[in-house]
Amino acid sequence: MSVISTQLVDDLKGTALASIAGATSLEELDAKRVELLGKKGRFTSLLKELGSLEPESRKSFGALLNSVKSEIEGSLDARKSALGSESIQRRLETEWIDVTLPVQAPVVIASPGALHPLLTVQRDLEQIFHGLGFTVVDGPEMEREYYNFEALNIPNTHPARDMQDTFWTKDGNLLRTHTSTMQVRSLERMKPPLKIVAPGRVFRYERVDATHGHTFYQMEGMMVDRHVSVGHLIYFMKTLLREIFGSEQKIRLRPGYFPFVEPGFELDIWFQGRWLELLPCGLVHPKVLEFGGIDPAEWQGFAFGLGLSRLVMSRYQIHDIRHMDGGDLRFLRQFS
Ligand code: DAH
């Protein structure tokens, strides 16, 4: 009796196909191929037994075994390509790179820098004035006595000089006491009509305390055109305050004395139930226009001096002006 039977072939085929289908990796599948079709494989040994069969059954079993063999081979190939694409799938899933992700940040040793609150406010204001057609101009901090005093109608003997004592160099120059220096400097450079703002650092010879610094910041503004009146001044100041505070502000003008404006005003705003002195301003004094080479019969202007440091301090509730240029990181980090 032959060891080969249809039942045996069927069983072998059944277990072979099931085990191929159950292979979960290409390595496992390869081991199964060897186990079935390798030299000593189960199927191979069955084939070998064909030789011992009667010619008749050899022929029919030969045909059967061949078809089962090609079925097993087909199944091995199919599983192989399935596992192949599965493994590609798996690799794609595990090894994928999302090129849209941000690159890993470099190791940061110190925290990145941030703008000083002064610069933040200065830039905000520059933007507001830029929108109103003003040019932002810059000028020297080390200044000639002429631009700081004389050209602003503050002659040598004028008492206003005492209020703005400053640091002098041996050759008679000084650290500017206000950004009003940019009035005549701008008139010389830019012929009217003109609208400028000049933010910058100023210096005073002061006894330093919480509200007085030897160094602080201002922003000067000036408009010179034909027929400029106090009405223009009020219009621009109200527009500026609306931009800064986000809503219409109640203001008042009080007379104020500054040698380089006539009339001169203190502009106050109604803030938290009281009047707050905010902006000194006025119409540019004819003498100042003349110092700038401009004919006051033809041109007029207004000017204002915004206390930038003061504005920053009230906006961020900073109670000591010395923090502003103290360089203390505990202070500065609050604005990063
Ligand atoms: N320069 C003056 C100061 O520092 C401020 C000032 C007052 C500027 C009136 C002006 C102005 O332009 O019109 O005290």
Side-chain angles (χ1 to χ4, degrees), residues 276-292:
L276 200 75
E277 187 177 309
L278 193 75
L279 257 171
C281 53
L283 295 187
V284 181
H285 197 290
K287 279 197 178 162
V288 174
L289 292 172
E290 276 170 7
F291 275 116

Side-chain angles (χ1 to χ4, degrees), residues 97-170:
I97 296 169
D98 183 348
V99 291
T100 66
L101 281 177
V103 281
Q104 184 157 18
V107 179
V108 179
I109 296 163
S111 60
L115 292 186
H116 192 283
L118 260 166
L119 200 52
T120 305
V121 172
Q122 181 184 320
R123 290 196 176 166
D124 284 355
L125 290 171
E126 285 176 4
Q127 200 149 6
I128 293 169
F129 280 112
H130 194 250
L132 294 169
F134 283 69
T135 306
V136 180
V137 297
D138 197 11
E141 293 174 348
M142 174 87 77
E143 186 53 283
R144 287 174 48 197
E145 185 181 353
Y146 172 75
Y147 289 111
N148 199 88
F149 293 125
E150 247 103 66
L152 289 169
N153 198 27
I154 313 173
N156 214 340
T157 50
H158 202 288
R161 288 218 177 183
D162 292 339
M163 285 149 56
Q164 298 199 1
D165 199 6
T166 184
F167 304 93
W168 296 80
T169 60
K170 284 190 178 140

Side-chain angles (χ1 to χ4, degrees), residues 164 177-178 180 183 204 218 220 258 260-261 280-282 303-305:
Q164 298 199 1
T177 59
H178 50 184
S180 301
Q183 290 192 13
R204 301 269 169 103
Q218 293 185 333
E220 190 77 9
F258 306 95
F260 38 93
V261 281
C281 53
F304 58 90

